[in-house]
Amino acid sequence: MKYNQSHLKNQSYKELLTDYLVSTMEKIFDPVPVPIILLDNETRIKMINDVFADYLGFPKEDLIGKKVKDIDKNTRFPYVYKTKKTEIAWKHRFENGHTAIVHRIPVLNAENEVEYGVGLILFEDVEQFKDIIERNKLLETELHIYKKRLKEIHGAKYSWENIIGKSEKMVAAKYMAKKAAQTNSNVLLLGESGTGKELFAHSIHNGSMRSFFPFVKVNCAAIPSELLEAELFGYEEGAFTGAKKGGKIGKFETANGGSIFLDEIGDMPLKMQAKLLRVLQEKEFERVGGMDSIKLDIKVIAATNKNLKDLIKNGKFREDLYYRLNVMTIEIPPLRERYCDIEAITHSLIRKLTDQLGKYVSSISEKAMEYLKSYSWPGNVRELENVLERAINLTDSDTILPVHLPVYLIQNKRRILDGPIRPLKDIIEDIEKESIIRCLEYTKGNKLKASKLLDISRSSLYDKIQKYGI
């Protein structure tokens, strides 16, 4: 490209330099068989090579100057510009129906603002990507892939940084958990559903000397009782009808050297409790249908949202197993007992959910936050996450507003706080009544469970129900 005096007068030096660079890039990348695109700071197409234009099904001259969103409505480049985060090897479905593996790279200037965006198609077809992986399965590559896969399947995902909260009860729980991570003793996590027991289990494993070994999760309530023993301890070939040839190793054997997380331990059948007790005492077990003992070096982390002492009284949980598990006990407080943590948890969940949903939302209004802080959260952090996910899906801006929150949250606060100023005793009674109603809704009318959640006796709950005409 030649430049004369008139060019120099009509164009700034920066514009000339940009045009020159784009022209040079076209010469370099047009012959390259890898689809490449260059965007300006407004996501307009500055340069696209021939192979990319052909892939999209447009003449190249029709694409230059257009915003990438006008060419492909599924593009994530506007989101990448907002987050300023590179996306490597993402699966992307173009508007023309093609599915590819792509890179999206924001180029930042000295002021940390996005100046350009670079896009590349690594594989023009997902099947092509799969074929290349298959063709390159050499021994070293296989070992790397399988180790990574094992880490993904059996590794712990969370650490202490993921446990958010500065309230007194949460600080105490986190302190106990860190101490528990430094020992080989069994750990028992107690807390309502949705408080973050699994988060603590992951963090305890990752904070221990066993972090490089497997972390295996078992939901004791999700596995049928007749299959639980084989699932936990494995079986030998021919142990029962339908047993796999060669047998199968169980969860305990898989976790050997690492940690096993027994979630919902209160739902484990009594027969299995007896076998688990022996395993914890003897540090060995036999597979179903097997004769040889297998030695275990394992840390057991158990969790439940039930009152194990009540289960013991009712003959549904072994007392000796309870005391074997109840070495390092950590009580995780419900959200209603740490309202001061709600704001920090909310902002953390917004960041997490925007990454998952691919929708840029960065803040929540003060009024919306007031509604969140005035609610009792019977479903704890899990319920808060669901409310925020719904709000992010509803918002058309980068801020969550009260209108994006469920109606019951708004009505909850209005019923209690709106209207004329009243005696404090009346306001407290309104809050107490509202809390009991919400708790009974959450427990589907189960008054025994509601009294435990509210931490009052059942007789006190009945008195209050009668008092408030619930």
Side-chain angles (χ1 to χ4, degrees), residues 9 35 53 59 70 86 101 119 149 151 155 187 195 199 212 217 230 240 264 278 306 340 356 364 395 441 457 460:
K9 289 178 181 178
D70 297 333
T86 297
I101 304 298
R149 182 81 181 275
K151 180 71 175 175
V187 181
T195 51
L199 200 67
F212 292 102
K217 299 169 288 183
F240 50 83
E264 307 293 354
R278 180 182 176 276
K306 296 186 175 181
C340 61
Q356 287 179 357
I364 180 169
T395 182
E441 288 174 357
S457 68
S460 294

Side-chain angles (χ1 to χ4, degrees), residues 281-418:
Q281 289 174 335
E282 306 297 331
K283 300 294 183 183
E284 63 180 27
F285 70 96
E286 298 90 33
R287 292 182 184 177
V288 176
M291 300 294 291
D292 298 328
S293 291
I294 299 171
K295 294 290 184 182
L296 268 182
D297 172 23
I298 201 169
K299 184 182 185 75
V300 174
I301 306 170
T304 182
N305 59 4
K306 296 186 175 181
N307 188 319
L308 294 183
K309 289 184 178 179
D310 285 348
L311 292 181
I312 291 169
K313 289 178 184 176
N314 296 326
K316 294 181 179 180
F317 201 84
R318 293 180 63 103
E319 187 173 15
D320 45 7
L321 177 59
Y322 170 74
Y323 287 114
R324 178 64 65 175
L325 292 171
N326 190 28
V327 179
M328 296 290 287
T329 302
I330 301 164
E331 295 190 22
I332 305 170
L335 199 52
R336 64 180 175 275
E337 293 180 9
R338 52 187 191 109
Y339 280 108
C340 61
D341 293 335
I342 287 179
E343 187 166 351
I345 295 170
T346 296
H347 288 297
S348 176
L349 287 174
I350 289 174
R351 289 192 295 270
K352 170 190 168 184
L353 290 167
T354 53
D355 282 344
Q356 287 179 357
L357 301 173
K359 190 171 180 181
Y360 186 74
V361 175
S362 60
S363 61
I364 180 169
S365 72
E366 290 185 13
K367 190 67 176 176
M369 183 62 73
E370 284 180 23
Y371 284 119
L372 297 185
K373 288 181 177 179
S374 68
Y375 181 59
S376 59
W377 298 110
N380 295 296
V381 179
R382 187 177 295 132
E383 184 183 4
L384 174 59
E385 183 171 357
N386 289 341
V387 166
L388 291 173
E389 182 174 350
R390 174 187 184 273
I392 290 170
N393 282 319
L394 290 176
T395 182
D396 292 320
S397 66
D398 62 355
T399 303
I400 295 174
L401 303 173
V403 70
H404 303 131
L405 300 177
V407 174
Y408 65 83
L409 259 75
I410 311 297
Q411 292 176 340
N412 173 68
K413 186 176 179 186
R414 283 177 180 164
R415 282 196 296 266
I416 295 171
L417 300 178
D418 286 1

